[in-house]
Amino acid sequence: MERDTRITHAGRRPRDYKGAVNPPVYRVSTVTFEHIEDFENRRGEMIYGRFGTPTTRAVAEAVSDLEGAAESVLCSSGLNAISTAMLAFAKPGGHLLVSDSAYWPVRKLCDGLLARLGVETEYFDPHIEADGLTRLIRPETFLVWLESPGSLTFEIMDTPALAAAARAKGVPTAFDNTWGASHFFRPLEHGVDISVLAATKYHVGHSDAMMGIVCCNEATREAVRQTAIQLGVTAGAEEAYLTHRGLRTLSVRLERHQKNGIAVARWLEGRPEVARVIHPALESHPDHALWKRDFDGACGLFGVVVKVASKEKLVAMIDGLELFGVGASWGGYESLALTAYPEKIRTATRWEDEGFLIRLHVGLEDPKDLIADLEAGLARLA
Ligand SMILES: *Cc1c(COP(=O)(O)O)cnc(C)c1O
């Protein structure tokens, strides 16, 4: 079946809920059994709250369908999904390869908790070629961490080539697919073993719940599931319900985010105050051809480098925006603007653009109004 049909139907069982279209919010810790032997043998659709409910299962099944995964594990946040995926393979003396463009808190985890447990993390250039990655893989390398487009800087990786190189060496790959959002990109179709989602963003889609999901192939599902059980990873009932609800409109929202985002990005590209628009769907993006080869579209998140005389003027530009909110996260229906400083984060590569980097999330407003808001903002830079 086509993807839009599957987004509507995967994981739904109305007959189980007296015909209700959506699964109810199962608020569960204890599950009671009629027979002690059923409990002893873990026979039943629900065993205990932490192990999942029909509400969480509906989300996991639908996302597995979209990502082409054998199993998906719901976690309390996107970062919790990342830590669960990493801890499923981490070992003392182990070596972890992470893209230099990875979401910044990933580095905190690698350089903090994982380093304390005896894991060495090596960061690599997101533009690395397969041969280069092969050379970095050691006998003790336990995982390669990919993210494309990169957080803040939007580099596109040659994911199929990198995943194949790691697989040839017997090393699993994990991919942060928050930007591709299970719709515009499906990592497992490109040879990746694990797709990790900050479902907080587009899957929830309304800026009102935290959710992380680890989508595993057959080879990795057992390691991830056991790690989640041992860590006590679980997702809240209300959060699972809101993710389920958001998921059903994921593709329509994303298509509109794409249209609006490209309209705003193209307009920005024509402005004299703008040094560079970093949007993979624009022909000017250095990796546009790779994006076009592997992705089915672009979400509403991209970067803009502006030429600004001073930080004060930048602050005036952003603070005065009326339709773009200022705040962490993205993927909701509303537009957001944030400043970003990749030069302070990167270690394997350098960020050398001159000017200030602004990260925009283009929401579902009419792009004409968003452009008018940005036009007034750019005027404040003068
Ligand atoms: C937001 C984000 C995360 C973390 O998600 P949370 O739900 O906030 O923990 C992970 N990866 C990327 C790319 C993100 O943008």
Side-chain angles (χ1 to χ4, degrees), residues 196-242:
V196 174
L197 300 164
T200 306
K201 310 287 167 56
Y202 282 118
H203 295 69
V204 168
H206 295 72
S207 308
D208 52 3
M210 306 294 298
M211 177 63 64
I213 308 177
V214 191
C215 312
C216 313
N217 65 4
E218 206 51 61
T220 54
R221 69 190 294 183
E222 197 55 30
V224 171
R225 185 207 291 139
Q226 290 307 329
T227 302
I229 290 173
Q230 289 166 30
L231 287 169
V233 166
T234 188
E238 195 75 38
E239 284 72 13
Y241 182 84
L242 290 169

XYZ file of all heavy atoms in Angstrom, residues 196-242:
343
model
N 16.842 6.456 14.703
C 16.444 7.036 15.983
C 15.671 8.321 15.716
O 16.081 9.132 14.884
C 17.689 7.312 16.848
C 17.312 8.046 18.125
C 18.396 6.009 17.183
N 14.564 8.490 16.416
C 13.709 9.655 16.182
C 13.492 10.470 17.451
O 13.157 9.898 18.498
C 12.324 9.194 15.710
C 12.271 8.378 14.424
C 10.919 7.681 14.311
C 12.534 9.270 13.219
N 13.685 11.778 17.353
C 13.114 12.667 18.359
C 11.686 12.910 17.876
O 11.404 13.862 17.145
C 13.904 13.968 18.465
N 10.785 12.008 18.254
C 9.383 12.110 17.827
C 8.719 13.331 18.448
O 7.634 13.745 18.024
C 8.628 10.832 18.178
N 9.384 13.891 19.469
C 9.003 15.180 20.046
C 8.734 16.216 18.956
O 7.882 17.095 19.125
C 10.183 15.693 20.915
O 10.537 14.690 21.860
C 9.873 16.992 21.600
N 9.464 16.098 17.837
C 9.416 17.109 16.793
C 8.194 16.860 15.890
O 7.098 17.216 16.255
C 10.727 17.098 16.001
C 11.987 17.143 16.905
C 12.217 18.493 17.547
C 13.248 18.505 18.664
N 14.572 18.026 18.369
N 8.397 16.246 14.724
C 7.294 16.176 13.757
C 6.253 15.105 14.062
O 5.094 15.245 13.680
C 7.828 15.959 12.349
C 8.376 17.220 11.737
C 9.710 17.325 11.383
C 7.543 18.322 11.519
C 10.213 18.483 10.820
C 8.039 19.485 10.961
C 9.378 19.561 10.603
O 9.862 20.714 10.056
N 6.643 13.997 14.677
C 5.648 12.944 14.903
C 4.566 13.446 15.853
O 3.379 13.304 15.587
C 6.307 11.671 15.432
C 7.247 11.031 14.447
N 8.445 11.613 14.100
C 7.158 9.894 13.725
C 9.052 10.846 13.194
N 8.288 9.790 12.955
N 5.000 14.059 16.955
C 4.026 14.693 17.854
C 3.429 15.912 17.134
O 2.215 16.074 17.064
C 4.691 15.089 19.189
C 3.776 16.005 20.003
C 5.034 13.837 20.008
N 4.291 16.768 16.636
C 3.887 17.812 15.700
C 3.158 19.013 16.275
O 2.782 19.919 15.531
N 2.928 19.036 17.568
C 2.163 20.144 18.138
C 2.838 20.759 19.359
O 2.199 21.443 20.156
C 0.746 19.671 18.496
C -0.066 19.260 17.297
N 0.193 18.102 16.594
C -1.099 19.867 16.656
C -0.650 18.010 15.580
N -1.443 19.062 15.592
N 4.126 20.498 19.522
C 4.941 21.127 20.579
C 4.399 20.887 21.993
O 4.565 21.736 22.868
C 5.059 22.646 20.336
O 5.507 22.897 19.025
N 3.759 19.726 22.189
C 3.149 19.525 23.506
C 3.452 18.175 24.150
O 2.777 17.775 25.109
C 1.622 19.728 23.426
C 0.965 18.899 22.323
O 1.680 18.117 21.661
O -0.255 19.044 22.121
N 4.471 17.470 23.663
C 4.826 16.203 24.310
C 6.253 15.821 23.939
O 6.747 16.202 22.866
C 3.866 15.087 23.879
N 6.920 15.085 24.824
C 8.263 14.557 24.565
C 8.133 13.074 24.201
O 7.393 12.334 24.860
C 9.148 14.655 25.815
C 9.256 16.031 26.450
S 10.089 17.265 25.436
C 11.723 16.577 25.257
N 8.869 12.659 23.174
C 8.820 11.248 22.782
C 10.062 10.892 21.965
O 10.476 11.675 21.098
C 7.568 10.973 21.942
C 7.414 9.551 21.400
S 7.253 8.276 22.664
C 5.695 8.758 23.416
N 10.638 9.737 22.246
C 11.742 9.229 21.434
C 11.410 7.829 20.959
O 10.681 7.101 21.630
N 11.916 7.459 19.788
C 11.638 6.125 19.253
C 12.918 5.565 18.628
O 13.603 6.266 17.876
C 10.497 6.158 18.204
C 9.264 6.868 18.779
C 10.137 4.737 17.755
C 8.095 7.022 17.812
N 13.246 4.309 18.982
C 14.356 3.610 18.342
C 13.753 2.560 17.416
O 13.038 1.664 17.879
C 15.264 2.893 19.372
C 16.542 2.400 18.695
C 15.609 3.803 20.536
N 14.026 2.678 16.119
C 13.478 1.742 15.130
C 14.612 0.808 14.694
O 15.618 1.279 14.147
C 12.944 2.506 13.919
S 11.879 3.906 14.342
N 14.431 -0.477 14.918
C 15.534 -1.429 14.729
C 15.244 -2.399 13.598
O 14.093 -2.784 13.373
C 15.713 -2.286 15.977
S 15.734 -1.351 17.487
N 16.315 -2.847 12.950
C 16.159 -3.952 12.007
C 16.258 -5.277 12.779
O 16.427 -5.289 14.005
C 17.169 -3.852 10.858
C 18.618 -4.009 11.309
O 18.879 -4.275 12.493
N 19.536 -3.830 10.391
N 16.142 -6.378 12.047
C 16.130 -7.695 12.683
C 17.421 -7.940 13.487
O 17.387 -8.490 14.586
C 15.968 -8.745 11.567
C 15.348 -10.042 11.961
C 14.031 -9.943 12.711
O 13.061 -9.407 12.143
O 13.970 -10.407 13.872
N 18.550 -7.477 12.934
C 19.848 -7.773 13.553
C 20.048 -7.043 14.888
O 20.825 -7.482 15.725
C 20.976 -7.403 12.585
N 19.370 -5.907 15.073
C 19.638 -5.095 16.270
C 18.491 -5.091 17.280
O 18.641 -4.579 18.386
C 19.931 -3.625 15.856
O 18.841 -3.143 15.046
C 21.233 -3.529 15.059
N 17.338 -5.639 16.918
C 16.160 -5.470 17.765
C 16.331 -6.073 19.166
O 15.904 -5.482 20.161
C 14.902 -6.047 17.092
C 14.900 -7.567 16.971
C 13.782 -8.073 16.102
N 12.455 -7.835 16.647
C 11.328 -8.249 16.068
N 11.396 -8.925 14.921
N 10.172 -8.014 16.603
N 16.966 -7.234 19.238
C 17.085 -7.896 20.527
C 17.983 -7.097 21.477
O 17.640 -6.897 22.646
C 17.627 -9.326 20.332
C 17.414 -10.252 21.507
C 15.951 -10.372 21.955
O 15.032 -10.241 21.102
O 15.732 -10.577 23.177
N 19.113 -6.621 20.966
C 20.040 -5.836 21.807
C 19.350 -4.576 22.312
O 19.474 -4.214 23.490
C 21.290 -5.476 21.008
N 18.610 -3.903 21.450
C 17.960 -2.651 21.851
C 16.825 -2.930 22.835
O 16.682 -2.262 23.857
C 17.459 -1.872 20.612
C 16.586 -0.697 21.023
C 18.636 -1.393 19.773
N 16.035 -3.965 22.549
C 14.910 -4.265 23.439
C 15.409 -4.639 24.844
O 14.903 -4.154 25.848
C 14.059 -5.392 22.868
C 12.808 -5.618 23.724
C 12.292 -7.026 23.658
N 11.736 -7.344 22.363
C 11.927 -8.501 21.741
N 12.656 -9.450 22.287
N 11.381 -8.723 20.575
N 16.437 -5.479 24.903
C 16.958 -5.892 26.208
C 17.539 -4.700 26.966
O 17.377 -4.594 28.185
C 18.025 -6.993 26.047
C 17.464 -8.334 25.588
C 16.310 -8.842 26.461
O 16.251 -8.580 27.666
N 15.369 -9.546 25.851
N 18.212 -3.818 26.255
C 18.795 -2.638 26.907
C 17.684 -1.738 27.442
O 17.776 -1.236 28.574
C 19.695 -1.866 25.912
O 20.698 -2.767 25.450
C 20.349 -0.663 26.561
N 16.646 -1.544 26.664
C 15.526 -0.702 27.118
C 14.888 -1.306 28.374
O 14.568 -0.591 29.330
C 14.489 -0.556 25.997
N 14.741 -2.627 28.396
C 14.157 -3.290 29.568
C 15.069 -3.107 30.778
O 14.627 -2.748 31.869
C 13.906 -4.790 29.274
C 12.745 -4.935 28.271
C 13.621 -5.569 30.558
C 12.511 -6.358 27.776
N 16.378 -3.312 30.568
C 17.305 -3.212 31.698
C 17.406 -1.782 32.225
O 17.573 -1.571 33.426
C 18.683 -3.735 31.285
C 18.685 -5.256 31.114
C 19.922 -5.758 30.390
O 20.997 -5.160 30.478
N 19.773 -6.859 29.667
N 17.315 -0.801 31.332
C 17.405 0.601 31.767
C 16.081 1.096 32.342
O 16.029 2.156 32.956
C 17.803 1.496 30.585
C 19.247 1.400 30.104
C 19.397 2.147 28.778
C 20.207 1.971 31.142
N 14.999 0.370 32.107
C 13.689 0.846 32.562
C 13.127 1.929 31.668
O 12.320 2.764 32.095
N 13.548 1.917 30.408
C 13.069 2.914 29.450
C 11.576 2.702 29.208
O 11.130 1.585 28.962
C 13.844 2.784 28.122
C 13.163 3.559 27.010
C 15.285 3.256 28.309
N 10.804 3.765 29.289
C 9.375 3.665 29.035
C 8.852 5.034 28.586
O 9.550 6.033 28.726
C 8.631 3.153 30.293
O 7.268 2.891 29.959
C 8.690 4.137 31.437
N 7.667 5.055 27.994
C 7.073 6.321 27.543
C 5.726 6.497 28.226
O 5.006 5.527 28.469
C 6.903 6.297 26.022
N 5.382 7.717 28.535
C 4.136 8.005 29.229
C 2.908 7.740 28.376
O 2.963 7.821 27.142
N 1.796 7.431 29.041
C 0.558 7.080 28.340
C 0.033 8.253 27.510
O -0.317 8.108 26.331
C -0.491 6.632 29.351
N -0.001 9.421 28.110
C -0.525 10.607 27.413
C 0.377 10.965 26.231
O -0.101 11.317 25.148
C -0.580 11.779 28.408
C -1.405 12.952 27.951
C -2.897 12.666 28.045
O -3.329 11.996 29.009
O -3.615 13.113 27.142
N 1.694 10.858 26.464
C 2.660 11.177 25.415
C 2.493 10.214 24.236
O 2.558 10.611 23.076
C 4.090 11.092 25.962
C 4.507 12.272 26.825
C 3.841 12.314 28.186
O 3.224 11.297 28.608
O 3.930 13.371 28.833
N 2.286 8.937 24.560
C 2.096 7.954 23.484
C 0.823 8.285 22.708
O 0.794 8.228 21.476
C 2.008 6.535 24.066
N -0.204 8.663 23.417
C -1.460 9.004 22.732
C -1.267 10.206 21.804
O -1.720 10.219 20.657
C -2.585 9.298 23.743
C -3.862 9.595 23.008
C -4.682 8.555 22.569
C -4.207 10.898 22.693
C -5.820 8.825 21.822
C -5.335 11.171 21.953
C -6.144 10.133 21.521
O -7.258 10.397 20.784
N -0.579 11.240 22.316
C -0.374 12.451 21.502
C 0.517 12.150 20.290
O 0.330 12.722 19.220
C 0.237 13.564 22.359
C -0.729 14.148 23.398
C 0.015 15.050 24.379
C -1.858 14.924 22.723
